[in-house]
């Protein structure tokens, strides 16, 4: 065989090798990291969000655009240093294509620079509402399907002052990023309406005995209490608020995390009457929501809350973007462009990202009531439509 023939043979062998490799690459798993607290005071939220996320991928056979999907779950325990360490593990050792999850705003801030520098697409679900993640520290790699803290805290401020007639309020919140950002958003809108926050009481995350903090409330001359607590903290707070006799004297309001449907049966009758601006409840009258609630109850044996819906929608958005680029997740610019353009009909209604990649939400006034099979979050009336991440209705 001459030199020319050898060269042609080598070229043909190379082409054959490449042709064989491409189908194999196309079938390689898409690796998605799921970082949430599965232990600690925020574990209930991490579980809820992950269950919603997992459910959607199960419904589509854990496969998108012909490629299997593998979910790699890590526990950040709502600890910023642990969250960053687990993110590095997922990115550098497991070589994930996307990251999702994040319940703690403090964890989200801790890993923001890392995911931006390493160019890791991150879709935040659950409850990491840190304002600056989609504002001053916005990154082309960071998206959010849950909410910003400002977006969650603001909608009931003027309503509480005007329509509810609560002219003086005590603010109580968890002593970390989320508590400060959500209470600031509430206080700003409440103050604009001409009403007064008489005192802000910040409580350590993971508190089990709220008595030292609640004992300050009765003597402050307030008309009500606005409170921001999540998961196990919310359950303990609401039950003790009632046990100390405050529920009968001072209406309790707060952001949706305080009265998430996933917590209500654990709170029991103590939660009845509590109100807040909500963007999701299992009673929203959308076909997509009815199907989601039925599937979630069948899979997990309980009602889904807002964080479960957020996780489900994050999975929907990721899958939609991957489908749009025919599964080629290795092409990060194409994947990011496809995520930005996602529009969906979801359990929460129409979904899209804003210009800085944060979800736009409709809010309703929700109120806890006793139902035939437990405790439910009922929609009283529409509150604000198309609220952006700054807490402003479009």
């Amino acid at each position: 065989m001459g030199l020319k023939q050898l060269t042609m043979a080598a070229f043909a062998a190379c082409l054959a090798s490449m042709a064989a490799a491409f189908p194999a690459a196309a079938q390689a798993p898409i690796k998605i990291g799921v970082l949430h607290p599965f232990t600690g005071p925020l574990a209930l939220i991490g579980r809820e969000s992950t269950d919603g996320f997992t459910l959607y991928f199960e419904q589509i056979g854990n496969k998108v655009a012909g490629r299997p999907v593998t979910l790699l779950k890590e526990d950040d325990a709502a600890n910023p240093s642990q969250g960053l360490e687990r993110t590095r593990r997922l990115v550098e050792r497991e070589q994930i294509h996307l990251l999702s999850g994040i319940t703690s705003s403090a964890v989200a801030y801790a890993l923001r620079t890392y995911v931006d520098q390493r160019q890791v697409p991150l879709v935040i679900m659950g409850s990491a509402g840190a304002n600056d993640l989609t504002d001053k520290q916005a990154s082309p790699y960071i998206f959010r399907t849950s909410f910003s803290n400002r977006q969650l805290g603001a909608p009931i401020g003027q309503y509480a002052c005007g329509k509810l007639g609560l002219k003086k309020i005590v603010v109580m919140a968890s002593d970390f990023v989320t508590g400060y950002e959500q209470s600031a958003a509430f206080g700003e809108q409440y103050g604009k309406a001409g009403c007064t926050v008489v005192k802000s009481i910040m409580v350590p995350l993971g508190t089990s005995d709220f008595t030292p903090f609640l004992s300050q409330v009765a003597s402050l001359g307030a008309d009500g209490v606005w409170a921001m607590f999540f998961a196990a903290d919310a359950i303990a707070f609401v039950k003790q608020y009632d046990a100390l006799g405050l529920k009968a004297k001072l209406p309790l309001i707060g952001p949706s995390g305080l009265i998430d449907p996933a917590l209500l049966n654990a709170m029991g009758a103590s939660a009845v009457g509590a109100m807040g601006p909500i963007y999701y409840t299992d009673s929203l009258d959308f076909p997509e929501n009815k199907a989601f609630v039925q599937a979630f109850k069948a899979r997990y044996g309980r009602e889904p809350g807002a964080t479960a819906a957020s996780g489900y929608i994050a999975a929907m958005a990721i899958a939609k973007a991957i489908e749009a680029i025919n599964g080629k997740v290795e092409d990060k610019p194409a994947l990011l462009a496809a995520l930005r353009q996602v529009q969906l009909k979801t359990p929460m209604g129409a979904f899209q990202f804003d210009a800085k990649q944060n979800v736009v939400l409709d809010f309703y006034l929700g109120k806890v009531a006793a139902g035939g099979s437990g405790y439910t979050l009922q929609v009283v009336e529409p509150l604000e439509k198309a609220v952006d991440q700054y807490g402003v209705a479009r």
Side-chain angles (χ1 to χ4, degrees):
M1 184 181 292
L3 179 61
K4 183 175 180 180
Q5 290 173 308
L6 284 170
T7 302
M8 292 297 292
F11 180 68
C14 181
L15 286 177
S17 176
M18 290 173 65
F22 280 129
Q27 292 300 316
I30 297 170
K31 295 182 178 182
I32 302 176
V34 179
L35 182 71
H36 264 314
F38 299 118
T39 57
L42 301 183
L44 283 172
I45 299 173
R47 182 192 69 175
E48 275 284 294
S49 185
T50 303
D51 284 351
F53 193 78
T54 303
L55 174 63
Y56 182 77
F57 281 109
E58 287 179 352
Q59 288 179 326
I60 60 173
N62 290 304
K63 184 173 283 191
V64 181
R67 295 181 66 172
V69 173
T70 299
L71 304 183
L72 302 169
K73 301 172 185 178
E74 289 285 354
D75 179 14
D76 64 34
N79 181 291
S81 60
Q82 182 167 321
L84 182 56
E85 182 270 325
R86 297 300 168 87
T87 300
R88 286 177 171 145
R89 179 188 299 182
L90 287 166
V91 173
E92 297 169 25
R93 188 172 75 185
E94 301 294 347
Q95 298 186 329
I96 58 171
H97 298 100
L98 299 99
L99 178 65
S100 194
I102 324 295
T103 289
S104 164
S105 288
V107 170
Y109 276 136
L111 57 82
R112 182 266 169 204
T113 299
Y114 178 81
V115 299
D116 182 69
Q117 290 178 346
R118 294 299 295 252
Q119 300 181 351
V120 181
L122 166 61
V123 179
I124 296 172
M125 55 170 164
S127 300
N131 289 332
D132 284 349
L133 284 175
T134 51
D135 188 14
K136 295 176 182 177
Q137 297 184 37
S139 163
Y141 299 95
I142 297 176
F143 299 76
R144 181 158 46 199
T145 65
S146 49
F147 54 81
S148 75
N149 287 328
R150 212 164 17 216
Q151 190 175 26
L152 211 61
I156 202 172
Q158 296 192 32
Y159 188 96
C161 179
K163 289 200 174 183
L164 295 180
L166 306 178
K167 302 302 182 184
K168 293 184 290 183
I169 267 185
V170 175
V171 164
M172 302 185 72
S174 289
D175 189 8
F176 76 121
V177 172
T178 303
Y180 285 99
E181 291 187 346
Q182 290 192 19
S183 59
F186 168 77
E188 180 182 357
Q189 294 301 315
Y190 185 68
K192 280 183 179 179
C195 290
T196 305
V197 173
V198 296
K199 187 171 185 177
S200 292
I201 302 172
M202 306 306 290
V203 182
L205 185 63
T207 291
S208 57
D209 183 8
F210 286 84
T211 304
F213 307 98
L214 288 169
S215 63
Q216 304 173 43
V217 173
S219 63
L220 294 173
D223 301 316
V225 171
W226 178 95
M228 187 245 86
F229 298 103
F230 283 148
D233 287 19
I235 294 169
F237 173 83
V238 169
K239 293 179 79 169
Q240 291 171 42
Y241 189 85
D242 182 23
L244 291 172
L246 291 170
K247 175 186 169 182
K249 301 173 184 176
L250 300 172
L252 178 61
I253 63 173
S256 61
L258 183 72
I259 52 174
D260 190 283
L263 310 178
L264 298 183
N265 284 333
M267 292 175 177
S270 295
V272 173
M275 292 182 287
I278 61 171
Y279 58 92
Y280 176 78
T281 177
D282 58 17
S283 65
L284 290 181
D285 192 19
F286 303 118
E288 295 79 12
N289 190 42
K290 292 177 181 178
F292 166 62
V293 171
Q294 183 178 10
F296 191 93
K297 288 175 66 176
R299 175 68 174 82
Y300 300 111
R302 65 183 191 275
E303 304 284 348
T307 49
S310 170
Y312 189 82
I313 291 166
M316 291 178 73
I318 289 170
K320 180 78 170 179
I322 293 172
E323 289 171 358
I325 58 172
N326 298 315
K328 298 174 183 176
V329 291
E330 292 79 9
D331 186 346
K332 289 183 183 178
L335 176 59
L336 297 174
L339 274 168
R340 292 185 195 106
Q341 294 167 12
V342 165
Q343 295 188 25
L344 297 166
K345 291 183 177 180
T346 78
M348 293 192 298
F351 171 90
Q352 64 178 358
F353 292 111
D354 67 16
K356 289 192 173 181
Q357 302 172 182
N358 188 84
V359 62
V360 176
L361 296 170
D362 293 339
F363 281 91
Y364 313 85
L365 180 67
K367 187 174 183 178
V368 181
S373 59
Y375 298 90
T376 62
L377 188 55
Q378 297 182 347
V379 173
V380 177
E381 62 179 307
L383 200 57
E384 297 279 359
K385 192 170 180 63
V387 177
D388 66 17
Q389 65 174 301
Y390 302 102
V392 177
R394 289 182 164 187

